[in-house]
Structures are given as structure tokens and as C-alpha cells.
Amino acid sequence: MPYGRQWLDEDDINSVIEVLQSDYLTTGPKIAQFEKEFAQYVDAKFAVALANGTAALHAACFVAGITKGDEVITTPITFAASANSVLYCGGTPVFADINPYTYNIDPAQIRKKITSKTKAIIPVHFAGQPCYMDEISEIAQEYDLVVIEDAAHALGADYKGRRIGSISDLTTFSFHPVKHITTGEGGMVTTNDEKLYKKLLLFRSHGITREKESLRCDQGAWFYEQLDLGYNYRMTDIQAALGLSQLRKSNRFLERRREIAALYNEAFADIESLIIPFQANECHSSWHLYVIQLKLEKLSIARKGFFEAMLAENIGVNVHYIPVYKHPYYQDNGYRNTKCQYSEQYYERAITLPIFPKMSNQDVAEVVKVIKQILGRS
Ligand SMILES: *Cc1c(COP(=O)(O)O)cnc(C)c1O
């Protein structure tokens, strides 16, 4: 049993075949259609499809104007890409500690990290649980910062009645197979700002435009100009077709993830040695991950032993995440003195359990049974 995996049906396969038989494999009509429906789904004005979630983060950082000398505050409890995208633009990631209950970046810790060089904040909705966006938006307004939400875990999540993807300047998503919907590889940036939207389109395709009104010197019908240093970060129509058919199942997937989380919550509610995920009243998590923490002081088994015992029973556990600044690349490039106490404590105790829409109630019961057995021995 894996910790996460895609769910593809016949109709997903057919929608891909349809594109393979059409005139456009890339830069065709499926991209625009996927973007339009995705924007509607998350309640944003604009959406731009990209080659993957990391490209989406890179594009968001670029159009936010992050450049050499800028500091960008993010969380250590995330996939490395959230911080790497700042480095791609020449900026410096600054890590602010998490709230020990939500596992999300703590607005009070963000405040402590602000300097005259701070340009942006990248909150990550860890496991699908929305960050405290009101507090983060308030800080951003006060210091004139850009907010880029990394919502790779949070498709379908909502915060105070608003869909994640509709709140900040920029929000990024990933369609890797373990995420809520998949396009194989793929990503999206959403925004309500038309200027940022246009810049994202340029960045995705070499910085090149053919739009008449953008050209400095139009020499004829063949003419185009490169206005920025962009990349080839385009998504194919093959991927977009898969994304469209997956998006139509997104609510069903989301509902099933929530059911599985509720089953786990109920099963673990009275186990003294486990901490189950905290849920804030005003948020609805999209449950990309289900993470438990072991109260190690109450157990004779270490996290490593627990993890290996789960693997031995073929339960695909995982650990999300190693604090980003602990990776050798970051250690060797200026982060040796970085220490986020709650992030490190969380990392020592966390285990991600399997959660994915195709998981059956029997699968959930199996995971619960194995956990109870291991705890019974320790
Ligand atoms: C998956 C993920 C990404 C990167 O997405 P890719 O599509 O794999 O490039 C970025 N941030 C977080 C938090 C992720 O989980």
C-alpha cells in the first residue's frame, strides 16, 4: 500500500487519446480550457498551466519580481521546491518556524524574520490545512510584501469560506501523481491580477510575445519579440486533457480524502501516545497528507523503529518533511546556524500514513490495526 497514488479511469485515458488523434499536442485548445475550468474551480480570475509545480513556483517568484538581494520568508516544513524557487531568482529564502499545532508557518514567527530586504512570503498549506491567511495578508500589507501561496497540497481546501487559489497575489499548484489531481507532471499558477497573468504567460514561453500591443517595433505578420528572459515551461495538451478529466472528479476525490481522514481521526482519538492532525474551525483541509506524531516520551520504540515496523507490514509510510535548511546544499550555503525549534521537534516525531481516494475502508482498517499492534508491543 503506497502513501499516495493517482486514480485514473477509462474516461481519463480516452480524453488523452482524443488529443493524440487531434492536430495539437501542445499550445492547443486543451490548455486554455483546462486553465479556464481550473480558475473557475478555485474561484480565481486567471490560471496559467505550467510544466510542473516547481516551474509554477519559479514563475510566481519571477513575476513577483524576486531578484538578487531579496529575502523571501517561507517554512522549513515543505518540499525543497518552495525555497529553491527563491534561489532560482537569485533571492534568499529565510525560514520562519511552524506553529506546533497546525504545522504551518506561524505568522508571529514571520514578523520576527522581516528585514528591510524582505520582498515576499511563501506560506505552504501543509498537508492541505490552510495557513492563517488573514494574519499573513495583514503582515504583507503592513510591509508591502507579495504573498505566493504554495498550494501543492491544497487543491479544494478552503479558508473562511474562500477557496485556496483565490486569496493572495499568486497561488501555485502541482499535478504530480501523489497530489489531488494529476497530469503526470504539471502545475498551475492562479492570480486575480491581469498584469501578473500576462507576465506569467511570457515567462512560460521564453519571454516571447506576438501580441501586437506589446511589440516595440512591429515589422510584419511574422514578427515576435523576446521581452524577458523566460523559459520553456509549457504544459502539453496531452497533459491538459488529463487535467480536465481529473478536475471533474476533484470533488469526489476530496470527499473521499475527508472520509478517510475522519476514519483515522476516530480510530486514533483515544490513543494516548499519538497526536492526530489539528483542524482549525474556519478551515477545511483537502487532506493531501495524514500525519501523526508519536509522543516519543510515552513509547519504548523510536520513530525509526516504528517506521520500519510499518514498512515491514507493507504499509507505505513516509516522512514529510526533513526541514529544508537541514539538507546538505542549504547547510553548505549559509544555513548552518538556522534553527527552527518546533520544525525540528515535529520532524523527529512525524509519520505520514497512506491517504488517497482509491483507498478502501478495509485498507484504512488495516493501517489502524498495524499501528495498534506496533503500539501494543511498545
Ligand atoms: C509537490 C510539491 C511541489 C512541487 O511540485 P512538482 O510538480 O513535483 O514540481 C512544491 N511544493 C510542495 C509543497 C509540494 O508538495
Side-chain angles (χ1 to χ4, degrees), residues 12 61 152:
D12 295 300
C61 285

Side-chain angles (χ1 to χ4, degrees), residues 138-158:
E138 200 179 296
I139 296 169
Q141 264 175 8
E142 199 177 320
Y143 294 95
D144 195 21
L145 309 175
V146 182
V147 178
I148 302 168
E149 295 174 48
D150 180 343
H153 297 186
L155 179 59
D158 56 78

Side-chain angles (χ1 to χ4, degrees), residues 52-54 57 78-79 81-82 124 150 152-153 174 176 179 186 321:
N52 53 65
T54 305
L57 277 163
T78 184
F79 185 56
S82 318
V124 180
D150 180 343
H153 297 186
S174 162
H176 181 277
K179 306 288 163 67
Y321 288 98

Side-chain angles (χ1 to χ4, degrees), residues 27 44 54 59 75 207 214 251 267 288-289 296 321 342 344 347-348 353 362:
T27 329
T54 305
T75 171
S214 307
N251 284 337
H288 166 58
L289 303 175
L296 294 171
Y321 288 98
Y342 289 124
E344 294 191 19
Y347 168 64
E348 295 298 324
L353 304 183
Q362 211 177 329

